[in-house]
């Protein structure tokens, strides 16, 4: 349960959440115009970090909407056993606007979490792109009279874990492939690609430093402090010691890989011998 002290709240969205929403939309029942689901994550004073989600079955018509609340509760209980730190932070719906039924569904989630967020994902890309918007509700009206609900937009930022970044980078490669199919790179290829990116970034930094020294670019104190902190974090080690340490780690990695392959071969051989007997 959580409460926002003000409206300066940032919604931090992980890629796996968006992938799950799009997947549930692609697998929706025939005749369904949209899908809805529960958003899970963590909350602090100024941000809501959405790290997981699951779809919730529902039926919707022009006059009414029915949500399988029992399914939503059971799914949340199962998620708590796997990730106890994740709580209900709101709900999502595919589409680019908020409907009258969205208000009714939001009332249900308001009983599960205090002031939940509502996320809309334009999976049909009706605006030409997959617009992703987040809202929080606020009551409006005259006290003692009929009250309404106003949805206030929130800022959405995209964050990711290192493991998610690998998947996102792999998916982005399909944009430049006509077959839309790419294979997973080997460990050596990933190391080479990472080394190339580091080399390119170092070249940019060196060029910036040279431009500042030559007077072509005005020095930025913020960038300078950042570069100084970066340099101070580099361990002071002799090139010979670094090479020896790197070779030792590589030898250890190769040994572990060899033993793993040997174990896998022995297991496979044992399964075949057992099958023959």
């Amino acid at each position: 349960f959580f409460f926002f002290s003000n409206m300066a709240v940032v919604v931090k969205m992980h890629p796996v959440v968006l992938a799950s929403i799009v997947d549930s939309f692609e697998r929706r029942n025939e005749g369904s115009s949209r899908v809805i689901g529960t958003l899970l994550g963590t909350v602090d004073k100024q941000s809501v970090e959405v790290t997981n989600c699951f779809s919730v079955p529902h039926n919707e018509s022009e006059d009414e909407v029915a949500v399988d609340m029992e399914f939503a509760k059971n799914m949340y209980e199962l998620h708590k056993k796997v990730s106890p730190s994740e709580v209900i932070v709101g709900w999502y719906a595919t589409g680019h606007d908020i409907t009258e039924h969205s208000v009714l569904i939001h009332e249900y989630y308001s009983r599960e979490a205090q002031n939940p967020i509502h996320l809309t994902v334009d999976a049909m890309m009706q605006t030409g792109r997959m617009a992703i918007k987040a809202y929080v509700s606020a009551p409006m009206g005259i006290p003692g009279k009929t009250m309404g609900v106003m949805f206030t937009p929130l800022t959405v930022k995209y964050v990711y874990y290192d493991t998610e970044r690998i998947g996102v980078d792999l998916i982005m490669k399909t944009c430049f492939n006509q077959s839309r199919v790419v294979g997973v790179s080997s460990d050596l290829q990933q190391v080479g690609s990472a080394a190339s990116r580091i080399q390119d970034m170092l070249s940019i930094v060196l060029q910036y430093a040279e431009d500042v020294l030559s007077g072509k670019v005005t020095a930025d104190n913020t960038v300078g402090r950042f570069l100084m902190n970066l340099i101070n974090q580099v361990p002071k080690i002799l090139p010979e010691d670094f090479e020896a340490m790197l070779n030792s780690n590589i030898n250890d990695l190769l040994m572990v890989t060899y033993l793993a392959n040997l174990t896998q071969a022995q297991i496979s051989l044992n399964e075949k011998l057992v099958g023959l007997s």
Side-chain angles (χ1 to χ4, degrees), residues 212-232:
V212 171
L213 293 175
S214 63
K216 295 180 180 179
V217 177
T218 304
D220 190 326
N221 294 332
T222 303
V223 177
R225 285 191 294 268
F226 177 81
L227 293 177
M228 182 60 66
N229 293 333
L230 183 63
I231 294 174
N232 292 333

Side-chain angles (χ1 to χ4, degrees), residues 10-85:
V10 176
V11 179
K12 299 179 180 179
M13 191 68 53
H14 282 257
V16 67
V17 176
L18 300 178
S20 179
I21 293 174
V22 173
D23 180 68
S24 63
F25 179 76
E26 292 295 328
R27 298 172 182 270
R28 69 189 185 279
N29 295 330
E30 185 177 356
S32 299
S33 59
R34 68 172 183 168
V35 294
I36 67 171
T38 302
L39 298 174
L40 304 175
T42 57
V43 182
D44 58 28
K45 292 182 179 179
Q46 297 297 329
S47 66
V48 179
E49 186 168 356
V50 185
T51 56
N52 208 340
C53 69
F54 59 85
S55 61
V56 177
H58 83 295
N59 293 318
E60 197 169 2
S61 63
E62 295 183 358
D63 301 327
E64 59 182 6
V65 58
V67 180
D68 193 343
M69 299 180 181
E70 190 66 26
F71 177 88
K73 292 180 180 179
N74 293 336
M75 284 294 295
Y76 178 54
E77 292 297 327
L78 292 175
H79 272 77
K80 284 201 301 184
K81 294 180 180 179
V82 179
S83 301
S85 61

